[in-house]
Amino acid sequence: MLKFDVGNLRRGAHGDCVIRPRRNRQSAAIRALVRETTLTPADFILPIFLHEESCDTPLDSMPGVTRWSLASLVREAGEAMALGIPAVVLFPKIEENLKSPRGEECHNDDGLVPRAIRALKAAHPELCVITDVALDPYNSDGHDGVVRRDARGRLSVINDETVGILCRQALSHARAGADIVAPSDMMDGRVGAIRSALDAEGFTEVSILSYTAKYASAFYGPFRGALDSAPKEGDKLGYQMDPANLREALREAMLDEDEGADMLMVKPAGFYLDVITRIRETSTLPVAAYQVSGEYLMIKSAAAAGWLDEKAAVIESLTAIKRAGASMILSYFAMQAARWMRER
Ligand code: PBG
């Protein structure tokens, strides 16, 4: 009887190795043919910081990133489009005197974000404009929702009252012309509430990109510096997810899908590739991943010190996020990466 012998197969007639995976890596041409994941500028969403001032401010906390005036923001978005990047997401720095405990400025139709949306849409009608829905830039406590102190003196963010305000914020973005609203607050039930609020005002075509699995991460530090939006007191552990949890992310994904989300986001990205993969397998919705400010800075600072090859490290990090299952990637490297792809 013929015995199946793996050893024989591998060794071949003359006892040498037959199965040689390296044949598929031997030239750039063959590597191109067998490549499983290819990044394109169309995968990217560019996060853009903006402020009320007429100057542009390079950010100390994020080298290579700038907070733009309205006029520059429109130009920057135009450059992104020219590079093939289809979407931007807006992050405003709100003046201190406009911040309040209930963050009313977040639904001012003449506020910074609605004006930015209108300016972007007027200049670039084809650009997909995404807005962040959460109170932290507007809230005098620096939290994503309304803060209360309970009888024991413990701070907590009030869920349902916050959701009502988030609905007003999303509506004000929709009225200004936003294509997608992206709630990043992690309140319970906000996707469903925002969906009904949008539909009730006739904005059935405005999409919801839910920050489904947003972890309470140390890697948001530089972003909070860029917007002066760090919590004044306490932390975000009572609403953002515990980095130790994966099954909980699937629970959030199921809820968001049921509540009518159009896309699901995982954030941060690089340390949470397993979460991206599992959500991708569990849901049929497209998955977005956010390579956050701390991930950006890790590569940026190591490259500045001469310890890493920036281009190679950036492309590798973004490719890994796409390989894990992300259909779109929010990254501060988006413009630079798109330029590099163009050179290739
Ligand atoms: C706020 C928000 C944060 C980020 C995006 N939206 C900060 C936070 O939750 O504290 C972080 C993005 C980054 O670090 O690049 N809702």
Side-chain angles (χ1 to χ4, degrees), residues 49 62 91 132-137 144 184-185 211 214-215 219-224 229 231 236 240 267 290-294 332:
F49 295 111
M62 295 178 68
F91 293 108
D132 194 68
V133 173
L135 294 193
D136 52 316
D144 288 19
S184 70
D185 54 285
Y211 284 69
K214 178 172 180 180
Y215 287 89
F219 292 90
Y220 306 152
F223 173 99
R224 295 177 188 167
S229 62
K236 299 193 176 186
Q240 298 182 348
K267 172 184 176 185
Y290 196 148
Q291 184 180 53
V292 300
S293 55
Y332 304 100

Side-chain angles (χ1 to χ4, degrees), residues 85-106:
I85 298 172
V88 298
V89 57
L90 303 179
F91 293 108
K93 176 172 157 67
I94 302 299
E95 322 254 277
E96 267 324 294
N97 64 330
L98 293 176
K99 297 186 182 184
S100 61
R102 303 185 81 252
E104 281 86 354
E105 178 63 15
C106 81

Side-chain angles (χ1 to χ4, degrees), residues 202-214:
F203 296 112
T204 50
E205 77 292 357
V206 172
S207 308
I208 300 177
L209 163 57
S210 175
Y211 284 69
T212 294
K214 178 172 180 180

Side-chain angles (χ1 to χ4, degrees), residues 100 134 164 173 189 279:
S100 61
H173 296 169
I279 290 190

